Structure formats: structure tokens, C-alpha cells
Amino acid sequence: MNITRRATLSTAAIAAAAAGLPGIARAQAKQVVVGTWGGDYGELLRQHIDTPLMGPQGIEVLQDVANADPRKTKLLAERQARRGTFDVACLSDTDMQMMAQQNTLDTLDFGRLSRAGSIVPALRKPYAIPHIYSALVLLYNPDKVTTAPTSFADMWDPKYRGRVGFSDILYSTNTFAAAMAGGGSFSDYGPAKGKLMELRSLDAKIFPSNEALAAALKGEEVWMTPMWLARGYMWQKAGIPLRHVVPKEGAYAILFEAALPRNSRNKDNAYTYLDAMLKPEAQTAFADRMGYLPTVTDATLPPEIASRISLSEADQARLRSPDYDYLTRAHSEVLDFWNKQFKG
Amino acid sequence: MAALVLPAGILVSLLLVAPMLLLFRISLNEYSPTEMMVEAMSAANYLRAVADPYYRSVLGTTLAVATGSTLLALVLGFPAAYWLARMQGRWKSLATILVLFPLLVGNVVRAAGWMALLGNGGAINAGLRGLGLIAAPLPLLYNTGAVVAGIVAVVLPYMVLTLSAVIESIPRQTEEAASNLGAHPMTVFRRVVLPLALPGVAAGSVLVFVLCMNTYASAVLLGGPQFKMMAPAVYDQFVRGNNWPFGAALAFILLGITLVLTVAGSAMLGRRYRRRQSEETT
């Protein structure tokens, strides 16, 4: 048999029909697709937003679970597409800024959010709502590190040779800590290079994930690490002996945000979702379980939680926003240095 | 008859050839931190990868691990394949299923199992500490040995099945004839079985080598953050660094080298097999 015109056409028709089917199935229900992390974060969204707040409005929430990096890649890859995967994308402030700069996000119409007035003013951005936040701190094991550290620079004390641990996925944050210890700034990570190599010769340990680092802290294999306060709170709750300090060189807050990709297919439902994320009851759940602070002024925390995760005024004074522009420009170089020199 | 190829042909060109062409085009672009990538037609990414000693060492590690794992799989797989091929009766299908069994478990799940076994708090270290044989945990994870062990466990079924299919086609009488003429079992293996099984050795090694070169999960999970192979390096550039052009160039370098080595390797084994056959017929 030769290839005939009819055979070619019918095969093409089958292929086209198969490709079209998912689209037909998708158009029916009232849905919103949320690109989010899995684990506790995704589960808390489900328990405190998806089911109690979105369900009664007849909107089905579909979670597209992945880590931040694949989510960013998806947003970038779909930049030119008319219909994107996500209706709402959750990312950290640094990543979100990068995505906004790459023109993947809508400028939000805050008039469509009934909760817009309650947002902590300092956390507000034109392209995203703040969801929860925490501060970068130095975590340490008080049984082993008997003199409480006060600065990132204390990680370079030869007493702690082999006892400083880093999470590989926080390469940018770790580089920042090294830069600050070496006299750098929010806009100059240059001094980090020398400091990281110094720490390398002091046998600093690198772990592939935050969880692996937690296991090493628990086993007292390492005693000190730069980390989010919220993580420290969760690990303390899990029985790991830890204290924290906001380093005197200064540090930044990490803010988890949610935004609307420009090619979102269900924008109305997405706005409803963002509004629900700002409800006080949804926010306090994250404080209780994960130790993150609310981003709205009218969410009150139970006193015992507040005392463990809130920041004193002196601590708050040491916190600043990262220099997003610098981070976008320096990101590639920071990653290269981390991979090739520090880990190499 | 040509129409029979059409469905598979369309699928492959849509899902493989088209994305590859796109990726190749991307590899010629320039990276920009603010715009992600700028259209260009330059080989700069390829030159940078080749000139950078870091990527040369990543490639070296990848080649060493892939070659070592392939040889190990061959040495471990051959006796098992021989045993399987010479098996008779109903136990044979059971044994084949047992060989296939590891393939039912995903790579990531399997690597997670190795982590639970080899980690500092893992089963082996906990056991040895419990028995009082060691004071500090042995560093079993996050090294080349762990990666090779993980990879070999993944690729061994492919090697065994490919080899046993070929060994099965070698008539048993040839071995019996050699033995009758007084050949030692090792001589029978070296002079009769191995030469006749060369096509299987070539096919199995090529298949396994390609899988090893592209190892991702085992390298990341068992090698740890300081162990670098090409596939994780490509992923790093795309997903962490957002540098698609350079990531694409690395991917094509990996593809090119794998292709050249497998073609050269199978051509070499093929020539040896044909030479031996012609020696025997003349």
C-alpha cells in the first residue's frame, strides 16, 4: 500500500481530534488552577481555603503541585501562549519579581479584592498579593553552640569547623549571608566569594534539601545554618533543639506571594481565590502549623504562637527587602559560583 | 506498507523531532537576565561549555560513571543472562518476571530506598552502630560508589534481558561439542559463548550506556549536591539558572557525545563479530 491522500488526511483528523478532547472536557466546571508547592503549604491551602472558602462558592480548586523552579519555568515557557496552565501562581517575592519583570503576570486590580484594605502596606506590590512571610535568621543548636551567636560572621568561627550546614536549594540566601558576613550589602554579593571559599576550607556541609538539613540538625551532625524563622519554628515543634537570632549585619524577610498570570483562563475565579487567601482565618492556620506571619492587619495570632514567631522591634529594624533588580542581574553568577567554585 | 509507519512517524516527529529542532534553535540564542533570551545565531554557548574546565570535568565524571556502570552491569548481567537463557520449563517465565520486577519501581522511589539504606541514619549505619561496630556513621551516601550502585540496579534488567535473548539463540550443541573435545568450561565461555554472544553484548551495552549517560535521579539523590553529572547540570541551567540557551547547548553536547560513542562502540564490536564469523567460514 502506498501513502494515499485519504490515509494521510484521516490520520491527521484522528490526531487533531485527540489533541482537542482535553479542551472540551475542561470547559465545563467552574474551576481555578492554583500553581503551588505540595507538602504542608498545599495541604493548608486545601484545608483552609479550597474546601471551606472556595467550595461553598461552587468553585473547584485544582492544585498544580511543583517546586518553585519548575513553576517559574512553566510560566516562562508559556509566556507567548494564549491560554496558560495556572490561574493563580504562588511564588516567593524574589521569584515573583523575576516573573513580573519577564512580563508573565497581570497588574492586579485591587478594586476587585474585598480584602485589599487589610493588606500590610509595606508588603503590597502592584503585581501580587502577599500571602505569608517570615524572616531570614541564623538557626543554632543551643546545646552545642553555647555562646549565642549574634551575626552571620559567627559561622566562620573555627570552633564550628564542620558544623555549619547549608541547604543547597537556598544557594542565593546562603550567598547573601556570606556576603553580609564579609562586609557586602543587599546590592553587592561580591564579598561572598572569598567568604564562601573560606567556609569551604572550614568543612561546611551542603545538604540537597531543607529536609536533609533538618535531619542533620536533628542528629547534631551540624549545629548552625541560615534559614527562615518559620522553618526553625516547624523544626522546633518536631523536637529539634534550635534557637534563632536575626543577625546584626541585617537580613531580609521572605514573603510568599500569589499572582495572576497574564494568560490565566479563569480570571474571575482567580480574584476570588486571591481574596480568600487574605482572609484572617486562612492566614492564622499557616502561622499555627508552619510558623509564617500573617500579611493582613486584622489576623490575630494566639499569644503562645505569636511569642515564638513574631519579631521584636529591634529585629524588625534589621530586616529589609532584598534588592530585586540586583538579584535578577546577579542570579546567574551567584548560581555559577555556588555550583562551580563553592561546591566544585 | 509505508502507511503502517505513519502513526508512529507522526508521533515521533511531533513529540521528538520538533522539540529537538526548537531546542537546537534555542541553543544558538543568547542569555539575558532580564529578557531571558535574545534571538541570535551564535555558537558561543557551545564554545563556552567546551572551554569551561568545570563542564569538562562534569562531562568526564559522566563518561566515567556511565562506562563503569555499563561494564559492571555487563559483568554482573552475563552470568545471570546465561542462567536465564539456559533455563527450561515453567520456572523460566517466573525467572523472567523476577528479572523484570525492579522495572516496576520508579527510579526516584528506588533511589529513595537506597537513601533509607545508605544514609547516616539509614538502616546499614543504624545496624552497625547498634552492634557497636562503628562509633560514627560511615559515609555510604553522596559519593560515586552510591551513584554507581544505584545506576547498576536500574540498568541491570535491560542488560540481562538483552543478553539472554541472544544467548538463547546460540545452540547448546556448540558448547557440548567444545566440551566433548576437551575444552575447559572457561575456554568454552571465552572461545564459544562470548564470541557468539557479541551482538547481545553490543546491544545491551549500547542500551545501558545511553541510560547511564542520561542518569538524573540516581545522580541527584544518591550523589548529593556536590556530585555533578550532565543531566542534572542541564536541569540546573534550565530550571535554576533560567539560562535556556546554555542548557540547550549542554543538552546537545551530551546527545552528540553519547551518539558518537555508541555508534563507534557498536561498530567496533560488530566488526569483531563479523571478522570472527568470516574466520570460521573460511
Side-chain angles (χ1 to χ4, degrees), chain B residues 196-221:
Chain B
L196 288 173
L198 269 186
V201 172
S205 302
V206 164
L207 182 67
V208 163
F209 183 74
V210 170
L211 288 172
C212 293
M213 285 292 280
N214 292 297
T215 297
Y216 179 81
S218 305
V220 169
L221 296 173

Side-chain angles (χ1 to χ4, degrees), chain B residues 41-126:
Chain B
M41 269 293 174
S42 108
N45 293 310
Y46 289 91
L47 295 176
R48 189 190 140 198
V50 175
D52 191 328
Y54 173 76
Y55 289 105
R56 285 209 301 268
S57 88
V58 172
L59 193 59
T61 310
T62 309
L63 284 169
V65 168
T67 313
S69 305
T70 307
L71 288 176
L72 196 58
L74 187 60
V75 170
L76 294 176
F78 205 102
Y82 181 81
W83 175 75
L84 187 69
R86 292 294 180 237
M87 218 172 177
Q88 301 288 336
R90 61 196 165 110
W91 292 110
K92 185 168 182 146
S93 47
L94 186 71
T96 311
I97 291 171
L98 279 179
V99 173
L100 278 170
F101 198 71
L103 297 179
L104 298 177
V105 185
N107 277 355
V108 176
V109 176
R110 193 192 332 236
W114 281 98
M115 287 165 82
L117 198 66
L118 301 176
N120 281 350
I124 294 179
N125 271 316

